[in-house]
Amino acid sequence: MAALLVETCHVACCANRTPNVVSWGRGGIVAYGTCNSVALYHPLKRRVISTLNGHSGRVNCVQWVHKKDCGPESELVSGGSDNLVLLWEEQDGKFSKSGQLGGHTGAVCAVDAVYQDTEAAYQLLVASAASDSTVKIWTRQGSEIQCVQTISFGNGFVMDVSLALLPGSSVPVLACGGDDCKVHIFIQQSGQFQEVLSLHGHEDWIRGLEWTVHGGDVFLASCAQDCLIRIWRVFAKPAFSPESLEEDTIKLKEDFFMVKTKDCCTSFAVTLETVLAGHENLVYGVHWQPPFLKDGIIQQPMCLLSASMDKTMILWSPDEESGVWLEQVRVGEVGGNTLGFYGCQMSPDGSMILAHAFHGALHLWCQDPSKEDEWCPTVVISGHFNSVQDLGWDPEGEFIVSVSSDQTTRLFAPWRRADQNQVTWHEISRPQIHGYDMQCFAMVGRFQFVSGADEKVLRVFSAPRNFVENFSNISGLPLEKLLACSEGVDLPEGASIPALGLSNKAVFQSDRSAQTPEDDGQFSSVSAQYSESYFQPVVLTEPPPEDHLLQNTLWPEVQKLYGHGYEMFCVASNRAKTVVASACKASKPEHAAILLWSTSSWKQLHSLSLHSLTVTQMAFSPDSRFLLAVSRDRTWSLWSQKDETLSDTEPCFTLYAHTDKNTSVHSRIIWSCDWSPDSTYFITGSRDKKVIIWGNCDSSENAAENDEVAIRPRSSVLDVGEAATAVSFAPVLSPDQSYILAVGLEGGKIILFKWKPSGDTSAGTDWLHCGELDTFQCHALAIKRLCWRPRVGRAGHGDDSGNSAWIQLASAGADHCVKIFNVNRLAL
């Protein structure tokens, strides 16, 4: 698809829950595995610049292939739960898959790669460790890739591998660490790796290894679940040294091994340089500060970064006078309900450090240029760590809210900086952190939404004052205008979750002032020692870091809606925000009823019974006259609102039209539906690969009050090639007055179509295929929801006038991603 037609505006995704899944390249790009893809994130531009789709299982490890001249890398290697190792290569600024290494019979959990000397028989050397208890060695010469060796570890598992070249000889050395608590050292001799040493010392599983070259020596850092880090030094041993004759001298124990090259035979010694004890929990990652080029000479700073499950990262370096390794900087998270860090990386210039946590969140700290000892948390990408089930825009199209199986509801908005034209999207609030997997969501006002999870209850949330103020600061929208949307209600300051509770409780100014402990430090009761609320109002001028999102950006829950017998499945609200419709999982007709709720009183209005199985999606028409429902029973139903003669009567819906097994064109579950912007037509998408437009809903052939109307297909049947899981009408027409539609497929593709009503639908000429998103724009797994911005223009850019060429499309995928695309409607 031409770049002019669709551009990726934002990708929200987080790192997978594995230790070796993040790698920071010398070119400044952070590569990390997210679900089945590799995301390339630019920390300075603060956006994902590309996603690499190629794995069919979770990506467990990612590693840039570093160049010897410390220049920006052009190759990347990744391993996944699909038992494959993939090579990616950059050409003309775009990455593509350059090789597939298949041979493991278990999930690949660690990879590393080095470039060989030009005299070597092959150019690239790759080592991969997998859960099949083997380490495989691969070589690439030209475009030919082959596995040259498989090292078996019996019943043991290797957790990490690291490759390097011995200085002076350019002989590859491989370190493997695993569940036997030993570091195994292999040297390549005559094309095969042979184990020369196993280093003892760690008392628990080894989790991370990394080599670095400093001068003529090689240093290996290893970390383990015994909370310790060990640094080993490998150096060339002269054939004869006078010191070796002096038996009285005290020195560290040395292990030796011989390396044979064409010219000579060199002896190397390995000694324990130091043991670093500072972490209080399992240490999962170690990373040396990257080398840099200065005056044509490669400089390697002796600085080591470590990350641990105690929620801290530590920078270690030797003291200039004594040479003793000391802790220089410690950063981390305090409080919250999260586990610790799985890995760490450092920027090429050493001014930024990055950790990824158990829940996938990235944590970025930046060194203060004026005070070298001070590190401050800074803005970084965030996203869901499980399938994104639903999403939607607010009525004004200024932000997006998404819900996911990771049990969170997240709010993304554009960040407008006064000093820059560039607008980037970020997560600015996490209104709901739940105990059940989230399933569905609908906005019922500018700052109010209703959400459903794998429970029988619907919950209604309303934004607190602290959020509205911070949203104004970050988005650049005037605060008075935003507060006017709250209709003069006395807004709470924020919200917090009580101990052992599931409901977000509102926190008012009076609650916080009452919490201050008594001056003498005496508590009236045992429970008074523990704060009722951990909410602290924070004035934000930039998107908040993870610990603020967890604790200080919750929205108070204002209502619970009871009535369904099984877990919630879908929810919808009308354009006027007066009625909410909800449906739950059902295998019997009595549970498949749609419940209608009034947003003014939150009372149940009606129960609409027709379907026999789960209602999968619902949509109110833009004029709020109709409610459309599609179901697992392969039919749809259309309900019309009776004309309200009295202003104080609640809305009443009656059956207007429906299909049955004989009239339904669909032969499988109908996953999705949507309305045209003029409320005339609606679209359905099904697992049977068919997409159909139905109508005409505003025709004068309306039947008498209690009779049903025949709504027929108005388009030819569109076969999209695979199950259609999401469909959506754009809010405006194209220049030739055609409807613009987006169709999301089970394989992750998004296709754009134009459709114009025509008298003859048998020829199939009414559909125009406008293009589909390319491999690196689309999702890696099924599209769960597509939603166009309700207004023309791009959020945050100030081009909301009707003349703008751009319309925005948001998509939610089972690959954990929320994506926003800018579509040029004039180029369609």
Side-chain angles (χ1 to χ4, degrees), residues 408-679:
T408 65
T409 301
R410 302 180 190 230
L411 190 149
F412 300 92
W415 178 25
R416 293 183 69 175
R417 280 149 281 182
D419 56 337
Q420 291 184 25
N421 294 328
Q422 187 191 13
V423 174
T424 53
W425 283 72
H426 300 272
E427 182 183 353
I428 64 165
S429 177
R430 205 165 294 172
Q432 185 181 9
I433 300 173
H434 205 35
Y436 294 95
D437 291 3
M438 301 302 301
Q439 189 64 42
C440 54
F441 141 92
M443 294 297 298
V444 288
R446 183 74 195 272
F447 294 119
Q448 193 174 55
F449 69 85
V450 57
S451 67
D454 280 344
E455 55 176 347
K456 303 173 186 179
V457 188
L458 279 168
R459 296 172 188 266
V460 185
F461 295 85
S462 195
R465 174 178 287 275
N466 191 235
F467 167 78
V468 180
E469 291 169 352
N470 289 332
F471 176 61
S472 170
N473 294 341
I474 292 168
S475 65
L477 298 170
L479 180 62
E480 298 75 22
K481 183 182 170 188
L482 297 176
L483 286 173
C485 301
S486 304
E487 298 163 357
V489 182
D490 182 23
L491 293 176
E493 283 283 307
S496 69
I497 303 180
L500 305 178
L502 266 180
S503 302
N504 295 356
K505 184 182 172 188
V507 177
F508 290 89
Q509 182 74 40
S510 56
D511 299 335
R512 292 199 307 108
S513 54
Q515 272 185 45
T516 53
E518 293 148 35
D519 296 335
D520 57 359
Q522 297 297 312
F523 295 99
S524 57
S525 65
V526 174
S527 62
Q529 298 177 42
Y530 301 99
S531 171
E532 180 69 25
S533 160
Y534 290 97
F535 164 77
Q536 291 296 327
V538 183
V539 178
L540 298 173
T541 54
E542 61 178 28
E546 181 74 9
D547 51 340
H548 279 315
L549 286 169
L550 283 168
Q551 198 161 292
N552 298 322
T553 65
L554 293 167
W555 289 18
E557 184 183 307
V558 294
Q559 195 72 40
K560 291 185 184 71
L561 307 181
Y562 297 93
H564 287 287
Y566 287 92
E567 296 93 337
M568 300 307 309
F569 199 82
C570 59
V571 65
S573 66
N574 63 354
R575 179 73 62 90
K577 309 301 178 194
T578 56
V579 180
V580 169
S582 62
C584 69
K585 292 180 183 176
S587 55
K588 294 179 180 175
E590 57 264 31
H591 296 124
I594 299 165
L595 299 187
L596 298 181
W597 313 83
S598 163
T599 60
S600 54
S601 63
W602 293 116
K603 289 193 172 76
Q604 186 178 320
L605 299 176
H606 302 288
S607 174
L608 308 179
S609 298
L610 177 75
H611 292 286
S612 57
L613 295 171
T614 308
V615 172
T616 52
Q617 197 173 330
M618 297 175 292
F620 283 92
S621 59
D623 61 8
S624 299
R625 283 178 53 220
F626 294 104
L627 169 63
L628 171 66
V630 293
S631 167
R632 194 156 64 94
D633 63 13
R634 308 171 186 179
T635 66
W636 55 257
S637 60
L638 191 61
W639 307 80
S640 68
Q641 182 176 340
K642 286 184 179 177
D643 292 331
E644 297 178 40
T645 50
L646 298 170
S647 58
D648 58 343
T649 58
E650 297 286 7
C652 180
F653 282 79
T654 56
L655 187 62
Y656 184 77
H658 73 98
T659 53
D660 54 31
K661 288 183 179 176
N662 298 322
T663 56
S664 175
V665 185
H666 292 296
S667 58
R668 303 293 299 277
I669 179 174
I670 305 176
W671 276 123
S672 186
C673 62
D674 196 24
W675 283 91
S676 63
D678 54 10
S679 303

Side-chain angles (χ1 to χ4, degrees), residues 735-753:
D736 65 354
Q737 298 305 299
S738 298
Y739 294 101
I740 303 168
L741 298 113
V743 179
L745 307 183
E746 198 169 35
K749 277 186 187 174
I750 299 174
I751 311 176
L752 297 178
F753 292 97

Side-chain angles (χ1 to χ4, degrees), residues 747-763:
K749 277 186 187 174
I750 299 174
I751 311 176
L752 297 178
F753 292 97
K754 286 201 298 187
W755 177 78
K756 211 170 190 175
S758 64
D760 180 23
T761 60
S762 58

Side-chain angles (χ1 to χ4, degrees), residues 8-63:
T8 305
C9 167
H10 177 63
V11 179
C13 54
C14 70
N16 287 334
R17 193 179 285 177
T18 53
N20 306 307
V21 80
V22 181
S23 181
W24 200 328
R26 309 279 193 262
I29 306 295
V30 177
Y32 63 93
T34 175
C35 194
N36 297 357
S37 308
V38 177
L40 302 181
Y41 175 69
H42 200 301
L44 299 179
K45 292 181 180 175
R46 294 183 165 130
R47 59 188 293 264
V48 169
I49 55 174
S50 183
T51 50
L52 312 181
N53 299 329
H55 285 281
S56 58
R58 184 182 72 171
V59 175
N60 297 325
C61 45
V62 175
Q63 182 65 48

Side-chain angles (χ1 to χ4, degrees), residues 298-377:
I298 293 175
Q299 306 281 340
Q300 172 61 61
M302 288 308 282
C303 183
L304 182 71
L305 180 66
S306 62
S308 165
M309 274 290 168
D310 63 7
K311 301 189 199 177
T312 65
M313 280 199 297
I314 299 178
L315 269 173
W316 310 84
S317 62
D319 184 61
E320 290 180 6
E321 293 179 4
S322 64
V324 176
W325 282 77
L326 298 173
E327 173 186 320
Q328 305 296 334
V329 177
R330 182 188 289 252
V331 297
E333 300 297 316
V334 178
N337 58 352
T338 58
L339 289 165
F341 296 146
Y342 255 148
C344 53
Q345 292 287 301
M346 191 181 286
S347 65
D349 61 357
S351 66
M352 291 190 281
I353 53 178
L354 178 79
H356 69 284
F358 182 77
H359 285 316
L362 296 174
H363 300 258
L364 182 65
W365 282 268
C366 194
Q367 191 174 21
D368 191 326
S370 55
K371 303 173 188 171
E372 290 194 358
D373 294 341
E374 286 197 15
W375 293 73
C376 306

Side-chain angles (χ1 to χ4, degrees), residues 236-292:
K237 193 81 174 163
F240 173 79
S241 59
E243 293 90 18
S244 58
L245 301 176
E246 301 174 21
E247 295 182 0
D248 296 338
T249 56
I250 299 173
K251 57 181 181 177
L252 282 168
K253 177 190 168 192
E254 294 177 349
D255 294 303
F256 297 93
F257 61 88
M258 302 293 291
V259 175
K260 295 176 184 173
T261 55
K262 291 179 185 176
D263 310 325
C264 60
C265 187
T266 314
S267 175
F268 282 86
V270 182
T271 182
L272 180 64
E273 177 78 2
T274 185
V275 178
L276 307 179
H279 287 293
E280 297 168 0
N281 208 330
L282 322 180
V283 186
Y284 264 90
V286 283
H287 179 65
W288 292 99
Q289 181 172 340
F292 58 89

